[in-house]
Amino acid sequence: MTSIASMFSNGGSAPDGPGAAVAARTEAILEGRPAAADPMAALKELADSLPGLDEVQAVGEDDTSELTETERKQKDKTESVIRTAVATGNAVIWVIAQGLERAAKGKWWRRSHATYEAYVNDLTGRSASYVRRLRSGAPLALETATQTGRVPHPSQIEETRKVQRQHGTEAAVLLFQVVSEVTDELGGKATAETLEAVRKELPPALPEQARATIERVTRRALGHGGSDDDPAVFEEDSNDGVRIRTPEGDAGSAETQHVDGHDGDDIEDAEIVPEHLVALKDALKTLNAVNKAVTKDVFAQAAADPDDAAEYEKVRQAIIKKATAIRNKALHAPRG
């Protein structure tokens, strides 16, 4: 198998320079063996070698002017870092994302490529939509790598970002670390699916001893711990007063719900109610889950990315249309 370090070698000679150091340490991470030095130090050094984002001059969409000398230097330096990161593989994919954040802001592709999408694909071999997700997750990913010594995959960061939005950055990093440690202990791997399962069972407000709580929930989610004597009952005020209580062992259920002040206990058990009422109960559970997940902050963060402005508005309007349709059906339905 071709080593990462060999990607930096010209011919048969041994690689040298900052790129080689990153390659060697990255290879050690991927192979699961200890590196001679802190592997995250090389990753951080590579990210820090990028031009400061505040130093990059923002350029209008219609600007097709020649790049200034400063822009050319920033462009060359950033592209060098990106190519180094691409060569080292996915372990430093987050550095690629940070580099492309600068390229997008400076519109450095304006003379060489017709679109940003073409520039991204030519430079990295990846789609612009995929890179946009990477750019959004890069800060948390690099913080996670720095604190834990483990480089998260994009799918894992998509899950921990959801925790970040609800509980903060430290909790998101801690989730990744604890789930990784517990799955290692049990002989498994911390996949995105594992992180999702644990995330869904976390209480809405983490206690001071967050590590212990996350570890207990992780073991229970993996079938190694927890008992009926220690139920996990979670309640949370959502956007519009919807509260969901989830019993242990059924992370996706909402058997006891409170909607607009009405206690969900007066809804009969699905096993003894007509089929149409079961359908409405299932719809209510789904709406509760959606309402809990789609917070005001989710809309705010989606709207903040100018690259996704058109897609965001399209999705927002579609949500409004669907929500209005359901509301109108309920408003005009016969009263019981």
Side-chain angles (χ1 to χ4, degrees):
M1 181 182 69
T2 302
S3 70
I4 292 172
S6 69
M7 297 179 186
F8 293 88
S9 175
N10 296 321
S13 61
D16 53 16
V22 174
R25 290 170 184 172
T26 302
E27 193 165 39
I29 295 171
L30 296 178
E31 292 181 0
R33 56 182 170 81
D38 180 6
M40 292 307 106
L43 181 61
K44 188 175 186 304
E45 181 182 355
L46 188 62
D48 288 346
S49 67
L50 288 165
L53 186 57
D54 292 340
E55 299 171 4
V56 175
Q57 179 66 42
V59 175
E61 287 294 326
D62 298 327
D63 190 331
T64 58
S65 62
E66 292 288 347
L67 273 65
T68 66
E69 181 64 24
T70 297
E71 285 180 319
R72 281 196 294 272
K73 288 181 179 179
Q74 290 175 332
K75 176 178 182 288
D76 291 344
K77 178 61 177 176
T78 298
E79 289 183 353
S80 175
V81 170
I82 290 174
R83 290 191 176 95
T84 299
V86 169
T88 61
N90 285 341
V92 285
I93 198 168
W94 304 111
V95 178
I96 301 173
Q98 287 201 326
L100 290 171
E101 182 81 11
R102 288 147 177 80
K105 181 180 178 182
K107 201 184 174 187
W108 293 332
W109 48 268
R110 63 184 184 269
R111 296 291 295 179
S112 59
H113 294 76
T115 64
Y116 174 71
E117 288 74 13
Y119 173 76
V120 169
N121 186 263
D122 187 44
L123 188 61
T124 69
R126 301 176 186 274
S127 70
S129 60
Y130 176 69
V131 166
R132 277 195 291 270
R133 294 197 300 274
L134 292 181
R135 285 164 50 191
S136 297
L140 177 59
L142 288 170
E143 182 64 25
T144 300
T146 299
Q147 290 196 34
T148 68
R150 300 170 184 257
V151 181
H153 294 291
S155 60
Q156 294 171 323
I157 284 297
E158 287 185 9
E159 287 301 320
T160 57
R161 285 190 72 207
K162 296 172 185 176
V163 175
Q164 183 186 38
R165 286 191 286 267
Q166 184 174 357
H167 301 289
T169 299
E170 288 304 313
V173 174
L174 189 59
L175 174 74
F176 178 82
Q177 182 173 25
V178 172
V179 172
S180 296
E181 291 172 354
V182 172
T183 51
D184 282 353
E185 175 191 326
L186 298 175
K189 294 184 64 177
T191 63
E193 290 75 16
T194 307
L195 290 166
E196 179 185 20
V198 175
R199 174 183 60 79
K200 287 183 174 179
E201 291 200 28
L202 290 177
L206 286 173
E208 186 176 344
Q209 301 298 325
R211 170 179 279 275
T213 298
I214 294 174
E215 182 173 348
R216 183 168 60 252
V217 172
T218 300
R219 292 185 183 280
R220 183 166 55 236
L222 296 174
H224 292 266
S227 66
D228 293 336
D229 296 330
D230 181 28
V233 180
F234 307 142
E235 294 187 21
E236 178 174 15
D237 289 325
S238 188
N239 292 343
D240 300 308
V242 178
R243 299 168 67 199
I244 302 177
R245 183 187 298 269
T246 305
E248 178 186 356
D250 187 2
S253 71
E255 296 299 331
T256 304
Q257 303 176 8
H258 305 269
V259 183
D260 296 333
H262 297 286
D263 195 325
D265 289 340
D266 61 1
I267 300 178
E268 298 178 84
D269 190 283
E271 295 181 359
I272 59 174
V273 297
E275 180 180 350
H276 294 87
L277 188 52
V278 174
L280 290 177
K281 284 185 63 181
D282 288 343
L284 180 59
K285 292 178 183 179
T286 301
L287 288 172
N288 277 329
V290 171
N291 191 46
K292 180 180 178 182
V294 183
T295 63
K296 293 179 181 179
D297 188 52
V298 171
F299 279 102
Q301 291 195 27
D305 190 344
D307 293 327
D308 291 326
E311 183 67 16
Y312 162 72
E313 185 57 27
K314 179 180 177 181
V315 173
R316 191 180 75 86
Q317 291 295 335
I319 290 174
I320 292 173
K321 183 177 179 181
K322 292 295 183 183
T324 301
I326 294 173
R327 180 177 182 273
N328 288 339
K329 289 178 184 178
L331 285 175
H332 294 93
R335 293 181 178 274

